[in-house]
Amino acid sequence: MATTKKKLIIAGALTLALAGSGATALAAGASSSGDSEQPITGASLTRASEVALDAMGGGRVTDTEVGDEDSYYEVEVTADDGTQVDVQLDRDFNVVSSLPDHEGPDTDDEG
């Protein structure tokens, strides 16, 4: 009975280990496929959101990105009137620029 229980525990641990390595491989695959947009998370998300909303005088955060091509952090803020602004922040959460976001469902980063 104890041997069967040990086998089940070991099998469960191996399953979790393999699932974790698979998730890592998927994440690495996403990065290598050109889709490098990663959302800001944790305390950095909280700080970046506070700074961006303060810079814009309010609104709501509708998207975030770490490692944006223009800055270290990008926080998209949508104003009450629906306009969107990309607030660019450096690693220390200083605003380096804020640009209107002209991307839409029919446009891409190139146009």
Side-chain angles (χ1 to χ4, degrees):
M1 182 91 159
T3 304
T4 302
K5 194 172 188 179
K6 275 185 178 178
K7 287 180 181 179
L8 288 173
I9 291 171
I10 292 170
L14 286 173
T15 301
L16 287 174
L18 290 173
S21 65
T24 301
L26 284 174
S31 294
S32 65
S33 69
D35 183 13
S36 62
E37 294 180 13
Q38 297 295 317
I40 305 170
T41 60
S44 296
L45 173 61
T46 301
R47 181 71 178 131
S49 296
E50 289 171 350
V51 170
L53 291 172
D54 185 54
M56 297 310 303
R60 68 185 190 287
V61 173
T62 50
D63 197 15
T64 65
E65 183 180 337
V66 175
D68 180 68
E69 65 273 358
D70 296 321
S71 63
Y72 191 75
Y73 296 111
E74 178 181 277
V75 180
E76 181 183 270
V77 175
T78 301
D80 292 336
D81 66 2
T83 58
Q84 294 179 336
V85 174
D86 290 337
V87 180
Q88 307 295 330
L89 307 172
D90 65 16
R91 287 181 185 263
D92 297 319
F93 302 99
N94 297 306
V95 176
V96 294
S97 70
S98 54
L99 305 167
D101 183 3
H102 297 293
E103 291 180 32
D106 296 328
T107 62
D108 60 22
D109 291 339
E110 303 300 319

